[in-house]
Amino acid sequence: KMIDQHPSHADGATTHPDQISVLSGGYQLLAVVAERASSLFTNDMAGVKQLFQSLSTEPGAVKPAVAQALWAMSKSFIGCSGDTMVRLQSMLLATMKAHSDDHRVRLVVCQWINTVFPFDHAPSKLLLLVCRGDGSVDVRQEAKKGLLPPMSSDNKQLVGYPGFGEMVQMPVSYTHLTLPTKRIVEISVVAVSFKKKERNRIM
C-alpha cells in the first residue's frame, strides 16, 4: 500500500532521486518481511502478479529492489501443491507471455521456476526448455541451471526428469511461446529435445 499510494505513482512520474529512494526502500522492506515471515505471503498470487508488473513498469533504478522482493517472496511458495501450484504455474506462463519483450521479467520467472517447483515438475521443465532459446544470455543460462538434475556427492542423479509422456500431453497453452527473437518454439521440438536429454542422462 505504501508503494501504491506514494505520490510518484499517483502522477505517473518517478524521476526525482528522493522518489526513487522511497520506492526502492519500500520494495526492500517488502523483501525483508518476506524473508522473515514467509508465511504471510503464502498463496498471495495477486501480490506476486503485481510485483512482476512492477518489475516491468518501474524505473530502471527501482527494478533491482523489485527483483529482490520477488526473489524473497518466491521462498513462500516452495513446496506448494494442488491448486496453488496449478495457479502459480499458470500465472508464471501468463507473465512470460505478457512481458515477452522484457528480459528482466523473463529472467525472474526462470528463477522462480528453479526455486519453487520440484525438478520432476513437467510444466516448469517445458518452460525452461523453451527459455533455452531465449534471446537473452542471462535467461538462457538460468534456464540451463534448471534443466541440470540435482546430483549427490558421489555424482549420482538424485531426481529423474519428468516422463516424456507428461511433456507431450501438456495443455495447449504451452504449445507455443514467442521468444524475443520472434521465433516460435513448437512443443514437438522441445519435447524431442527433452527426450534426447533424458536418454543421454540414462546413458
Side-chain angles (χ1 to χ4, degrees):
K1 287 185 177 180
M2 178 185 75
I3 295 171
D4 288 339
Q5 294 173 1
H6 191 270
S8 63
H9 272 202
D11 59 19
T14 311
T15 57
H16 193 279
D18 289 344
Q19 297 174 334
I20 296 292
S21 178
V22 169
L23 281 173
S24 294
Y27 287 115
Q28 289 166 352
L29 178 60
L30 178 59
V32 171
V33 174
E35 287 276 5
R36 297 183 179 180
S38 60
S39 60
L40 293 176
F41 301 94
T42 303
N43 301 328
D44 185 10
M45 216 68 66
V48 175
K49 185 176 181 180
Q50 181 179 352
L51 277 177
F52 272 111
Q53 180 66 27
S54 298
L55 185 61
S56 180
T57 58
E58 290 287 18
V62 179
K63 289 184 178 183
V66 182
Q68 180 183 353
L70 274 165
W71 170 249
M73 193 176 286
S74 69
K75 299 173 184 178
S76 301
F77 290 84
I78 295 176
C80 67
S81 59
D83 182 62
T84 299
M85 176 181 283
V86 172
R87 290 191 298 123
L88 179 60
Q89 70 190 40
S90 297
M91 188 273 291
L92 292 175
L93 175 62
T95 298
M96 185 79 79
K97 289 183 175 181
H99 302 285
S100 61
D101 59 343
D102 190 326
H103 89 278
R104 192 188 296 266
V105 172
R106 301 194 309 276
L107 175 62
V108 176
V109 168
C110 285
Q111 291 171 341
W112 265 69
I113 289 172
N114 289 340
T115 300
V116 173
F117 298 115
F119 183 77
D120 58 359
H121 182 247
S124 62
K125 286 297 164 287
L126 183 56
L127 275 180
L128 291 177
L129 277 169
V130 172
C131 289
R132 282 293 289 146
D134 196 276
S136 166
V137 174
D138 290 343
V139 176
R140 292 199 303 271
Q141 289 302 314
E142 184 65 29
K144 180 180 179 180
K145 286 195 293 185
L147 292 169
L148 298 175
M151 308 296 286
S152 65
S153 58
D154 55 352
N155 205 35
K156 291 183 179 179
Q157 185 172 322
L158 297 175
V159 183
Y161 287 96
F164 179 66
E166 293 181 78
M167 301 294 288
V168 297
Q169 293 174 9
M170 292 302 301
V172 68
S173 57
Y174 288 83
T175 302
H176 299 81
L177 185 60
T178 306
L179 301 176
T181 53
K182 303 305 180 184
R183 290 173 291 169
I184 301 292
V185 177
E186 297 282 354
I187 188 171
S188 57
V189 175
V190 295
V192 169
S193 173
F194 190 87
K195 190 175 184 180
K196 289 179 179 178
K197 288 175 179 290
E198 190 176 37
R199 184 176 63 247
N200 291 338
R201 287 292 177 185
I202 295 173
M203 296 173 61

